[in-house]
Amino acid sequence: MSERLDIEGLRALLAISAHGGVTRAAEHLALSQPAVSHKIKRLETALDCDLLARRSGGPLFTEAGELLLTYAGRMMDLHDEALAVLGKKPLSGTIRLGMTEDTTGGDIARILGRFTRGYPDIQVRTRISQSLALSGWLKESEIDIAVMQVFTRDVQKNDLVLFEDNLHWIKAPDMRLNLVRPVPLIAFDSNCIYKHWAQGEGSRFGHRFDVVMECPSASGMLSCVRSGLGVAVLNKLHLSPEFEIIEDLFPEPPAISYIVRILPKTRNEAVLALAQEISRDVRRAIPLRVA
Protein backbone atom coordinates (compact mmCIF):
# COMPACT_ATOMS: atom_id res chain seq x y z
CA MET A 1 0.00 0.00 0.00
CA SER A 2 1.42 3.39 -1.00
CA GLU A 3 -1.10 5.48 0.93
CA ARG A 4 -0.16 6.93 4.34
CA LEU A 5 -2.33 8.43 7.07
CA ASP A 6 -1.01 11.78 8.21
CA ILE A 7 -0.58 11.99 12.01
CA GLU A 8 -1.53 15.66 12.15
CA GLY A 9 -4.59 14.92 10.03
CA LEU A 10 -5.68 12.28 12.54
CA ARG A 11 -5.08 14.76 15.35
CA ALA A 12 -7.29 17.28 13.55
CA LEU A 13 -10.01 14.65 13.09
CA LEU A 14 -9.96 13.87 16.82
CA ALA A 15 -10.08 17.59 17.64
CA ILE A 16 -13.18 18.02 15.45
CA SER A 17 -14.84 15.18 17.35
CA ALA A 18 -13.80 16.49 20.77
CA HIS A 19 -14.81 20.10 20.13
CA GLY A 20 -17.86 19.61 17.94
CA GLY A 21 -16.80 21.14 14.65
CA VAL A 22 -14.01 22.38 12.40
CA THR A 23 -14.07 25.97 13.68
CA ARG A 24 -13.69 25.05 17.36
CA ALA A 25 -11.10 22.41 16.49
CA ALA A 26 -9.07 25.03 14.63
CA GLU A 27 -9.18 27.32 17.67
CA HIS A 28 -8.01 24.48 19.92
CA LEU A 29 -5.17 23.53 17.56
CA ALA A 30 -4.20 27.19 17.02
CA LEU A 31 -4.69 26.74 13.27
CA SER A 32 -6.86 28.43 10.67
CA GLN A 33 -10.11 26.75 9.65
CA PRO A 34 -8.87 26.20 6.06
CA ALA A 35 -5.73 24.52 7.44
CA VAL A 36 -7.81 22.04 9.43
CA SER A 37 -10.11 21.43 6.46
CA HIS A 38 -7.05 20.77 4.28
CA LYS A 39 -5.75 18.15 6.71
CA ILE A 40 -9.10 16.34 6.63
CA LYS A 41 -9.19 16.57 2.83
CA ARG A 42 -5.77 14.88 2.67
CA LEU A 43 -7.07 12.01 4.80
CA GLU A 44 -10.13 11.69 2.56
CA THR A 45 -7.93 11.61 -0.54
CA ALA A 46 -5.67 8.93 0.96
CA LEU A 47 -8.67 6.77 1.95
CA ASP A 48 -10.82 7.65 -1.09
CA CYS A 49 -13.91 8.33 1.05
CA ASP A 50 -15.68 11.18 2.82
CA LEU A 51 -15.03 11.53 6.54
CA LEU A 52 -17.14 14.59 7.37
CA ALA A 53 -20.86 14.47 6.56
CA ARG A 54 -21.02 18.22 5.75
CA ARG A 55 -24.81 18.32 6.10
CA SER A 56 -26.33 21.10 8.18
CA GLY A 57 -28.15 19.72 11.19
CA GLY A 58 -27.02 16.13 10.51
CA PRO A 59 -24.30 13.92 11.96
CA LEU A 60 -20.82 15.42 12.04
CA PHE A 61 -19.08 12.32 10.64
CA THR A 62 -19.85 9.76 7.97
CA GLU A 63 -19.81 6.08 8.85
CA ALA A 64 -16.23 5.91 7.57
CA GLY A 65 -15.33 8.94 9.67
CA GLU A 66 -16.71 7.34 12.81
CA LEU A 67 -14.73 4.18 12.09
CA LEU A 68 -11.51 6.11 11.50
CA LEU A 69 -11.98 7.93 14.82
CA THR A 70 -11.69 4.64 16.71
CA TYR A 71 -8.40 3.87 14.95
CA ALA A 72 -7.18 7.47 15.26
CA GLY A 73 -7.55 7.46 19.03
CA ARG A 74 -5.50 4.31 19.41
CA MET A 75 -2.87 5.50 16.93
CA MET A 76 -2.45 8.88 18.63
CA ASP A 77 -2.15 7.23 22.03
CA LEU A 78 0.72 5.06 20.80
CA HIS A 79 2.30 7.96 18.90
CA ASP A 80 2.26 10.30 21.91
CA GLU A 81 3.38 7.62 24.35
CA ALA A 82 6.31 6.67 22.10
CA LEU A 83 7.23 10.34 21.68
CA ALA A 84 7.16 10.84 25.45
CA VAL A 85 9.29 7.77 26.14
CA LEU A 86 11.80 8.18 23.30
CA GLY A 87 11.75 11.94 22.75
CA LYS A 88 14.91 13.98 23.22
CA LYS A 89 13.31 16.26 25.83
CA PRO A 90 11.96 14.11 28.68
CA LEU A 91 9.68 16.04 31.01
CA SER A 92 10.15 16.09 34.76
CA GLY A 93 8.73 17.73 37.85
CA THR A 94 5.75 17.48 40.19
CA ILE A 95 2.13 18.14 39.20
CA ARG A 96 -0.61 18.79 41.76
CA LEU A 97 -3.82 17.45 40.22
CA GLY A 98 -7.38 17.93 41.46
CA MET A 99 -10.27 15.88 40.07
CA THR A 100 -13.92 15.24 40.76
CA GLU A 101 -14.89 11.64 41.48
CA ASP A 102 -16.95 11.02 38.36
CA THR A 103 -14.82 12.84 35.77
CA THR A 104 -13.37 9.64 34.37
CA GLY A 105 -15.74 7.03 35.69
CA GLY A 106 -13.39 5.91 38.46
CA ASP A 107 -10.44 5.13 36.14
CA ILE A 108 -8.14 7.75 37.63
CA ALA A 109 -5.53 5.16 38.64
CA ARG A 110 -5.37 3.71 35.12
CA ILE A 111 -4.94 7.14 33.52
CA LEU A 112 -2.21 8.18 35.94
CA GLY A 113 -0.50 4.80 35.61
CA ARG A 114 -0.26 5.17 31.84
CA PHE A 115 0.90 8.78 32.20
CA THR A 116 3.62 7.76 34.67
CA ARG A 117 4.88 5.08 32.27
CA GLY A 118 5.10 7.66 29.51
CA TYR A 119 6.67 10.32 31.75
CA PRO A 120 8.59 8.44 34.47
CA ASP A 121 10.28 11.62 35.74
CA ILE A 122 6.99 13.38 36.50
CA GLN A 123 5.36 12.87 39.89
CA VAL A 124 1.59 13.45 40.08
CA ARG A 125 -0.03 14.18 43.43
CA THR A 126 -3.80 13.84 43.17
CA ARG A 127 -6.65 15.15 45.34
CA ILE A 128 -10.32 14.25 44.83
CA SER A 129 -13.13 16.65 45.73
CA GLN A 130 -16.08 18.59 44.33
CA SER A 131 -15.82 21.33 41.72
CA LEU A 132 -16.24 24.22 44.16
CA ALA A 133 -13.39 22.92 46.30
CA LEU A 134 -11.18 22.44 43.24
CA SER A 135 -11.90 26.00 42.07
CA GLY A 136 -10.88 27.28 45.48
CA TRP A 137 -7.68 25.24 45.48
CA LEU A 138 -6.78 26.66 42.05
CA LYS A 139 -7.34 30.23 43.25
CA GLU A 140 -5.16 29.59 46.29
CA SER A 141 -2.46 27.90 44.11
CA GLU A 142 -2.85 24.64 46.05
CA ILE A 143 -3.16 22.64 42.82
CA ASP A 144 -1.82 23.16 39.30
CA ILE A 145 -4.61 21.61 37.25
CA ALA A 146 -8.25 20.71 37.90
CA VAL A 147 -10.56 18.33 36.05
CA MET A 148 -14.10 19.20 37.04
CA GLN A 149 -17.66 20.09 36.10
CA VAL A 150 -18.90 23.65 35.67
CA PHE A 151 -22.07 25.09 34.26
CA THR A 152 -21.45 25.66 30.55
CA ARG A 153 -22.13 29.36 30.98
CA ASP A 154 -19.12 29.51 33.34
CA VAL A 155 -16.56 27.96 30.96
CA GLN A 156 -13.51 30.21 30.69
CA LYS A 157 -11.57 31.08 27.56
CA ASN A 158 -8.55 28.90 28.33
CA ASP A 159 -10.49 25.88 29.64
CA LEU A 160 -10.12 22.61 27.74
CA VAL A 161 -13.67 21.29 27.29
CA LEU A 162 -13.72 17.50 27.51
CA PHE A 163 -17.42 17.11 26.76
CA GLU A 164 -20.80 18.69 27.48
CA ASP A 165 -23.92 17.18 29.00
CA ASN A 166 -27.41 18.06 30.19
CA LEU A 167 -28.66 17.96 33.77
CA HIS A 168 -31.99 16.39 34.75
CA TRP A 169 -34.16 16.17 37.83
CA ILE A 170 -34.64 12.46 38.61
CA LYS A 171 -36.46 10.25 41.08
CA ALA A 172 -37.54 6.64 41.57
CA PRO A 173 -40.70 5.85 39.53
CA ASP A 174 -42.66 4.86 42.65
CA MET A 175 -41.66 7.92 44.68
CA ARG A 176 -44.54 10.34 45.26
CA LEU A 177 -43.78 14.03 45.50
CA ASN A 178 -45.62 16.21 48.02
CA LEU A 179 -44.90 19.82 47.08
CA VAL A 180 -46.68 21.10 50.17
CA ARG A 181 -43.71 19.93 52.21
CA PRO A 182 -39.99 20.47 51.49
CA VAL A 183 -38.82 18.14 48.72
CA PRO A 184 -36.13 15.68 49.92
CA LEU A 185 -32.93 16.35 47.95
CA ILE A 186 -29.87 14.13 47.52
CA ALA A 187 -26.58 15.95 46.92
CA PHE A 188 -22.88 15.20 46.68
CA ASP A 189 -21.85 17.29 49.70
CA SER A 190 -21.76 20.89 50.98
CA ASN A 191 -19.69 21.87 47.91
CA CYS A 192 -22.17 20.37 45.42
CA ILE A 193 -22.83 22.95 42.71
CA TYR A 194 -26.06 21.15 41.78
CA LYS A 195 -27.36 21.51 45.33
CA HIS A 196 -26.56 25.23 45.46
CA TRP A 197 -28.23 25.79 42.09
CA ALA A 198 -31.34 23.74 43.04
CA GLN A 199 -31.86 25.52 46.33
CA GLY A 200 -31.25 28.95 44.82
CA GLU A 201 -33.44 28.50 41.75
CA GLY A 202 -36.06 26.53 43.69
CA SER A 203 -36.65 29.34 46.16
CA ARG A 204 -37.27 31.74 43.26
CA PHE A 205 -40.09 29.49 42.04
CA GLY A 206 -41.53 28.73 45.46
CA HIS A 207 -39.97 25.26 45.88
CA ARG A 208 -38.27 24.19 49.09
CA PHE A 209 -35.58 21.53 49.07
CA ASP A 210 -34.34 19.75 52.17
CA VAL A 211 -31.02 17.88 51.83
CA VAL A 212 -31.66 14.44 53.33
CA MET A 213 -28.51 12.70 52.10
CA GLU A 214 -25.01 13.79 51.10
CA CYS A 215 -23.03 11.21 49.16
CA PRO A 216 -19.60 11.88 47.62
CA SER A 217 -20.03 9.57 44.59
CA ALA A 218 -22.39 9.47 41.63
CA SER A 219 -23.00 5.76 42.15
CA GLY A 220 -23.99 6.42 45.75
CA MET A 221 -26.38 9.19 44.74
CA LEU A 222 -28.00 6.92 42.16
CA SER A 223 -28.44 4.23 44.80
CA CYS A 224 -30.17 6.71 47.10
CA VAL A 225 -32.49 7.88 44.32
CA ARG A 226 -33.21 4.28 43.35
CA SER A 227 -34.28 3.61 46.96
CA GLY A 228 -36.76 6.49 46.87
CA LEU A 229 -34.96 8.63 49.46
CA GLY A 230 -35.30 11.79 47.43
CA VAL A 231 -34.82 13.59 44.15
CA ALA A 232 -31.47 14.55 42.64
CA VAL A 233 -29.99 16.65 39.88
CA LEU A 234 -27.63 14.55 37.76
CA ASN A 235 -26.32 14.62 34.22
CA LYS A 236 -27.55 12.39 31.42
CA LEU A 237 -24.29 10.43 31.37
CA HIS A 238 -25.26 8.68 34.62
CA LEU A 239 -28.91 7.97 33.88
CA SER A 240 -30.65 4.74 32.85
CA PRO A 241 -34.29 3.79 32.15
CA GLU A 242 -34.83 2.74 35.78
CA PHE A 243 -34.99 6.41 36.80
CA GLU A 244 -37.85 8.78 36.09
CA ILE A 245 -36.93 12.19 34.70
CA ILE A 246 -39.01 14.91 36.33
CA GLU A 247 -40.20 17.35 33.68
CA ASP A 248 -42.12 20.64 33.83
CA LEU A 249 -42.19 20.71 37.63
CA PHE A 250 -38.93 22.22 38.87
CA PRO A 251 -36.69 24.87 37.27
CA GLU A 252 -34.94 23.59 34.14
CA PRO A 253 -31.30 22.80 34.95
CA PRO A 254 -28.52 24.47 32.97
CA ALA A 255 -26.10 22.57 30.74
CA ILE A 256 -22.79 21.49 32.22
CA SER A 257 -19.30 21.01 30.81
CA TYR A 258 -16.54 18.72 31.97
CA ILE A 259 -13.36 20.78 31.70
CA VAL A 260 -9.64 20.87 32.38
CA ARG A 261 -8.60 24.16 33.99
CA ILE A 262 -4.92 24.99 34.51
CA LEU A 263 -3.40 27.49 36.92
CA PRO A 264 -1.86 30.11 34.55
CA LYS A 265 1.49 30.37 36.33
CA THR A 266 2.00 26.58 36.21
CA ARG A 267 0.97 26.15 32.56
CA ASN A 268 4.11 24.24 31.53
CA GLU A 269 4.80 21.34 29.16
CA ALA A 270 4.39 18.70 31.88
CA VAL A 271 0.98 20.01 32.95
CA LEU A 272 -0.18 20.31 29.34
CA ALA A 273 0.93 16.73 28.67
CA LEU A 274 -1.18 15.49 31.58
CA ALA A 275 -4.15 17.52 30.37
CA GLN A 276 -3.90 15.90 26.94
CA GLU A 277 -3.62 12.42 28.46
CA ILE A 278 -6.81 12.96 30.45
CA SER A 279 -8.53 14.42 27.40
CA ARG A 280 -7.69 11.39 25.26
CA ASP A 281 -8.95 8.97 27.90
CA VAL A 282 -12.24 10.79 28.45
CA ARG A 283 -12.75 11.15 24.69
CA ARG A 284 -12.54 7.36 24.33
CA ALA A 285 -14.60 6.50 27.43
CA ILE A 286 -17.57 8.83 27.04
CA PRO A 287 -19.03 7.44 23.77
CA LEU A 288 -18.80 3.90 25.21
CA ARG A 289 -20.51 4.89 28.45
CA VAL A 290 -23.26 6.76 26.62
CA ALA A 291 -23.84 3.75 24.36
Side-chain angles (χ1 to χ4, degrees):
M1 295 179 65
S2 59
E3 295 84 359
R4 296 290 185 271
L5 293 178
D6 177 62
I7 287 291
E8 292 307 312
L10 296 176
R11 195 183 299 277
L13 190 75
L14 290 168
I16 293 172
S17 175
H19 297 277
V22 174
T23 300
R24 294 180 65 179
E27 293 174 354
H28 172 70
L29 296 171
L31 297 171
S32 66
Q33 183 174 335
V36 173
S37 297
H38 178 67
K39 292 179 183 296
I40 301 303
K41 189 63 179 177
R42 286 182 61 184
L43 287 177
E44 292 178 326
T45 300
L47 295 170
D48 193 24
C49 65
D50 291 334
L51 300 174
L52 298 183
R54 298 181 175 89
R55 292 195 305 271
S56 178
L60 190 57
F61 296 95
T62 63
E63 185 176 345
E66 293 285 356
L67 180 59
L68 182 59
L69 279 172
T70 63
Y71 288 108
R74 291 153 56 189
M75 293 167 67
M76 292 307 305
D77 284 346
L78 289 173
H79 172 274
D80 293 347
E81 185 173 333
L83 193 61
V85 173
L86 302 173
K88 295 181 180 180
K89 294 182 178 180
L91 301 178
S92 62
T94 298
I95 301 175
R96 300 167 299 168
L97 168 67
M99 302 183 78
T100 55
E101 175 270 340
D102 73 331
T103 301
T104 59
D107 280 341
I108 296 171
R110 179 172 56 81
I111 295 173
L112 297 183
R114 187 172 63 241
F115 181 78
T116 300
R117 291 192 300 273
Y119 300 92
D121 295 325
I122 298 179
Q123 182 181 29
V124 183
R125 297 175 180 172
T126 307
R127 301 170 68 182
I128 310 298
S129 190
Q130 298 299 323
S131 295
L132 283 180
L134 299 182
S135 295
W137 294 345
L138 273 177
K139 291 178 181 178
E140 297 299 323
S141 299
E142 295 182 26
I143 57 176
D144 304 307
I145 177 175
V147 186
M148 59 188 181
Q149 298 84 31
V150 299
F151 296 129
T152 299
R153 65 195 180 207
D154 297 326
V155 172
Q156 298 178 7
K157 180 180 179 180
N158 292 322
D159 290 341
L160 171 61
V161 178
L162 300 175
F163 67 98
E164 298 176 350
D165 206 352
N166 295 315
L167 292 173
H168 297 281
W169 291 95
I170 62 170
K171 70 177 186 68
D174 58 354
M175 178 189 178
R176 294 186 178 182
L177 294 175
N178 182 359
L179 299 184
V180 176
R181 304 176 61 183
V183 178
L185 180 67
I186 300 167
F188 283 107
D189 60 19
S190 59
N191 285 317
C192 178
I193 60 174
Y194 305 159
K195 181 193 75 171
H196 290 298
W197 172 85
Q199 291 181 323
E201 285 296 300
S203 63
R204 292 181 53 206
F205 289 86
H207 298 296
R208 294 176 298 163
F209 294 98
D210 181 20
V211 178
V212 297
M213 177 71 74
E214 291 186 352
C215 187
S217 70
S219 59
M221 286 186 64
L222 291 171
S223 179
C224 293
V225 174
R226 191 181 296 113
S227 300
L229 295 180
V231 304
V233 179
L234 277 174
N235 51 310
K236 185 178 179 181
L237 184 64
H238 296 298
L239 305 188
S240 62
E242 64 182 313
F243 299 103
E244 178 182 329
I245 295 178
I246 306 170
E247 297 181 312
D248 303 324
L249 184 59
F250 301 135
E252 183 177 355
I256 64 166
S257 295
Y258 283 65
I259 65 165
V260 177
R261 182 172 293 172
I262 300 173
L263 187 66
K265 66 181 182 181
T266 60
R267 196 179 183 89
N268 54 48
E269 289 187 17
V271 171
L272 291 174
L274 178 57
Q276 290 301 320
E277 182 68 33
I278 294 170
S279 176
R280 284 194 296 271
D281 194 274
V282 172
R283 185 185 62 234
R284 286 196 309 268
I286 294 307
L288 294 176
R289 290 167 62 194
V290 170

